[in-house]
Amino acid sequence: MFKMASLDRIALAAVCILGIICPGARAQEGSATPVEKLSLLPGFKAELLYSVPRSSEGSWVNMTVDPKGRLITSAQDGLLYRVTPPAIGSSQETRVEAIDLKIGQAHGLLHAFGSLYVVVNGKAAQGSGLYRVRDTNGDDTYDEVTLLRFISGGGEHGPHAVVLSPDGKSLLVMGGNHTKIPDPETTRLPRNWGEDQLLPRQWDANGHARGVLAPGGWVCQTDPEGRSWDMICSGFRNQFDIAVNGAGDVFTYDADMEWDIGTPWYRPTRVCQVVSGGEFGWRSGTGKWPDYYPDSLPAVVNIGPGSPTGIAFGTGARFPAKYQNALFICDWSFGKLYAVHMTPNGATYSGEVETFATATPLPLTDVVVNPKDGALYFTIGGRNTQSGLYRVTYVGGESTKMAQAPKTTDTAKIRKELESLHHRDARGVEKAWPYLGHSDRFVRYAARIAVENQPVSEWRGRVLQESNPKALVTALLALARQGESSDQDSIFEGLGRLDPEAISEQEVLSSLRVLALSMIRMGRPENDFIESASEILSGMYPAKSNLVNRELAGILVYFQAPGIVGRTLRLMTESPSQQEQIHYALVLRNLKSGWTLDQRRVYFSWFVQAQKYKGGASFKRFIQNIKDEAVDLLSESEKLALADVLEGKNLQDVALNYDMNRKFVKEYTTEELVKEIEKGLSGRDFNHGKKMFATVACYGCHYFSGEGGSAGPDLTGVSGRFNAHDLIESIVAPSRTISDQYQSTIFELKDGSDVTGRVANLAGDNLMVVTDMMAPGDFTNIAREKIESTRPSSVSPMPEGLLNSLSLEEIKDLVAYLLSGGDSGSQLFRK
C-alpha cells in the first residue's frame, strides 16, 4: 500500500468534459483535490464532502459503513472517526466526530454482528491485530475494545482488511507479505509451503524484502469472536483489500514490485480471485513464480504498474447494472479509480478494465458503497498527503434497477464442491481424483489440493495407474509436493511416460515444473538419471516455445549438462526482448563448466549492452549482481584472460536478432496500409514478425505473449479489441485517440516552465513525475505550491513514425504477429 511506483501506464487527466461534475466544495490552500479536476465517466457526479485537516485529523486510509449509513474512517497514523454525510442534494455540511477510544491506525474496518471490527496496523491499542469494538449500553457510543487476535506485522505490508465472508457468518482477514500468518488452527493450503526455487534466487538488489519467505500475503477466515482461524490462501505480495461479489465470489487487488519493472520476474498489479487453497506465487527477489506454474493460480486480469489500496463491488449502488456488478479498485500512486468488469469464464472469471475516475493528484485509499443512499464513497490520503472524502452518484438516464448477480457456471460449481474437500476427508481422494485431468485449470487445481489434504498413503499407488496425460501430470505434481524422497523414482517414471510431441505446451511446462519440484523437495538425483535426463532434454532444446526454453534452460543448467552454452547464448543474444535476454543471463550465471573462452567473452560483453536497458529502481543493480555472481565462478586464470572484457574493453560483438538502427523507408498512411492488410495476411513469417515487434521498440512499453514492458497496454489480446483499421491507426497516428489511461499531464509552473509526464508517487505536498516512460526509475519532483495549472497532453507517449523504417512485407509480418496473440501455430503463418 502507498508504495513507490516507478513506471506509469496510467494517465492522470485533468478536467474531462464528458463527466458530469458537481460544483462541490472548491479547494483552498491545504484542501483536497477539487471535483473540478476529476475526470468521471458520463452520467456520474462527484462531490467533495470533506477536506480532512491534516494537522488534527491526519490522512485517512480506510472506511466502512455502519447500519445507520454513517461512515467509520481511520487515519493512517491517528484515530477513528464517525462521519455523517449529508443527504444527497442537501446543502448541509458533513459531520465528523472523533471516536473517543484508544484505537486507530486501521487498515481494515467492518461493521458486522453488532460490532465494529478493526484491523490495527501499528501501535494503537495493544498493537497490530484484529479487534472488536462495541457499544455495550446502547447509547450509540463505542465504549469497549477487545483484542481478538494479535497479528505479527506492521507498516505498509502489514495486516490489512477485514470483510464479511460470502455466507455472512464469519470474517475474512488478510495480511501483506511482511505479516506472519496469525497462527491459524487450520489451513486449506497444505502447510509445507516453500520457496521452491530450482536455481538460487537473487534477493532484491536494493534490499527490499530480503529474507522474507513464503507463504507471503495471506487471507484467513475466522468466526465473529475470532477464536478459530483457517488460512484460505496465500502467495500475494501486498494485497490491501478484499471484496465479495453478488455470486459470493471473493477477489483482491494485489501489488506489483515496481522496482522489478523491465525484468522477466516483474509481475504487474493484478486482480485475483481468492479461492480455497490458492497459491499465487509471490516470492521475494527474482524468485516470483510465472503464471504458468501449475502449482499456482493466474490473475483474473492484469492492471499494470500501480499501488493497490481499497476495493469494493458496486453491489447496492444506484448505478446502471454494469457498474453494480463492477469491481471498483483504487490505485493510490497514479490516482485511478478503475471499474473492473468481470465475466464468468469456466470456474473463474475474465476481466476488462475501465477508468472510472481520475485526477491529478488523487491518492485513492479506500472505496465503499453506502446501501442507505446508493452512493459510492472514496477517500484520498495516505503518507501524510492531503486527505478528502468524496461521494459519487449517478444522474444519467440509464435504469438503476437492482442488477442480477453473476450466474455461477456449472464448472465453478464443480470447483466449489471440490473446495469443500480442502481438509482431511475420507471421501476426498475418491471424489477429487476424477477431476485431476479436467480441462479447466481452476478445477484441476482444486482437485489436486483436495487430494493433497489427504494422507499420501491413501493415493500414492494411484498415481502411476493414471493413463490420462493431463491427470497424470497433476497427480505427479501432488506427489512431488507431498511425497517423500523415496517417491522420486515414481515421479521420474511417470514423467517418462509422457510424449512431449503429443501433449500441449502447458502440459510440457507443467511436466518440467514437476521435474524441477521433485528435485527441489526430494533432492538431487543420482548421476545416472542426470545423464540420461540431460540427453533427453538437450534433444528438445531449443524448443519452438519461448516459455519451454526458459524452463529447459534452468533444468539443464541445474544438471550442469554439457553442450548447452552455445544454444543458450544464442537464445540470450538473439531474443528480441530484454526480459528474455535477462532470464538467460540469470540462468547462465549458475553454469560452472562447459564454457569456451570466446563464449565467456560473448556472455560478459552482453552486460555492457544491458546497461542501456531500462527498468525500475533495482534494475541496474540486478544486472550488476548477475554479472558479479557469474564472475565469482571464474577461475583466476579465466579472470586474467577476460580482464579486458570484464572492465568493458575489447568487447565481443553480440549478434542481435534485430537492427535498431534502420534507415527510413517511407512515411506510411493508415489508408494505404489498411488497403494492403485487407488483401490478406496468410503465409506470414512468425519469427520475422516477432523481430519487427522488437525493431520498432514495442517490447519496451508493451506486454505481449508473456514478455515485454508495462508502460502501455497489454497487446496479447489486441485481435479481440481492434480491427485492422484501428490497429494500424493506433500505430501510425497514436495521438489521434489517446486513452486517458495512458495520457500524460502537462504541469505549467509559476516560473513559466512546464513538465510533461505522469504522476507516479506522492510525498506530502510533492508530486513525483515520470517524464520518460522508458526510464521509469527517474522522477522529476514538483512541489504542489509551484504548479500554476495542469492540463492533459494532446501528444501520445507513443512516438509517431514507428513503421517508417519497415518495408511493407515487414509490416505485414508485424501485424500478423500482433493478430496471432503470439501463437506460432496461427493460420496467419500457414504457407
Side-chain angles (χ1 to χ4, degrees), residues 106-126:
H107 280 198
L109 292 169
L110 171 68
H111 209 292
F113 307 114
S115 304
L116 175 65
Y117 291 92
V118 182
V119 176
V120 170
N121 183 326
K123 298 180 180 179
Q126 299 176 54

Side-chain angles (χ1 to χ4, degrees), residues 22-42:
C22 171
R26 294 187 177 273
Q28 304 296 324
E29 184 70 24
S31 64
T33 302
V35 291
E36 290 87 348
K37 288 192 173 184
L38 263 69
S39 170
L40 280 172
L41 290 177

Side-chain angles (χ1 to χ4, degrees), residues 489-609:
D489 287 343
S490 295
I491 294 172
F492 295 160
E493 180 183 343
L495 291 173
R497 296 179 184 177
L498 299 168
D499 179 3
E501 299 297 326
I503 58 178
S504 68
E505 177 190 35
Q506 181 56 56
E507 289 164 347
V508 172
L509 290 168
S510 296
S511 300
L512 294 172
R513 176 59 173 169
V514 169
L515 175 60
L517 200 57
S518 69
M519 297 185 291
I520 293 166
R521 295 202 168 202
M522 299 173 177
R524 188 176 178 87
E526 298 292 335
N527 288 335
D528 288 348
F529 174 82
I530 290 177
E531 289 177 7
S532 61
S534 295
E535 184 176 352
I536 293 170
L537 297 181
S538 291
M540 298 168 54
Y541 183 64
K544 293 181 180 179
S545 164
N546 294 326
L547 299 181
V548 171
N549 282 334
R550 288 190 183 194
E551 295 306 308
L552 285 172
I555 294 172
L556 289 169
V557 166
Y558 174 82
F559 286 156
Q560 297 291 303
I564 64 167
V565 176
R567 283 173 282 173
T568 309
L569 278 177
R570 282 195 297 274
L571 287 172
M572 185 179 87
T573 58
E574 294 180 358
S575 171
S577 77
Q578 70 179 46
Q579 288 87 349
E580 206 166 308
Q581 292 178 25
I582 293 168
H583 172 81
Y584 292 115
L586 180 72
V587 168
L588 281 172
R589 88 192 197 283
N590 297 282
L591 189 60
K592 300 176 182 178
S593 60
W595 296 83
T596 67
L597 204 58
D598 283 343
Q599 288 171 334
R600 294 282 196 192
R601 283 187 171 274
V602 170
Y603 179 73
F604 286 109
S605 294
W606 174 85
F607 287 93
V608 177
Q609 171 186 292

Side-chain angles (χ1 to χ4, degrees), residues 464-478:
L464 293 184
Q465 296 175 13
E466 184 57 60
S467 58
N468 179 287
K470 195 182 296 288
L472 176 59
V473 172
T474 308
L476 290 170
L477 176 62

Side-chain angles (χ1 to χ4, degrees), residues 71 157 207 232 518 607 613 787 813:
L71 304 174
H157 292 244
I232 304 299
S518 69
F607 287 93
Y613 296 154
I787 299 174
D813 286 340

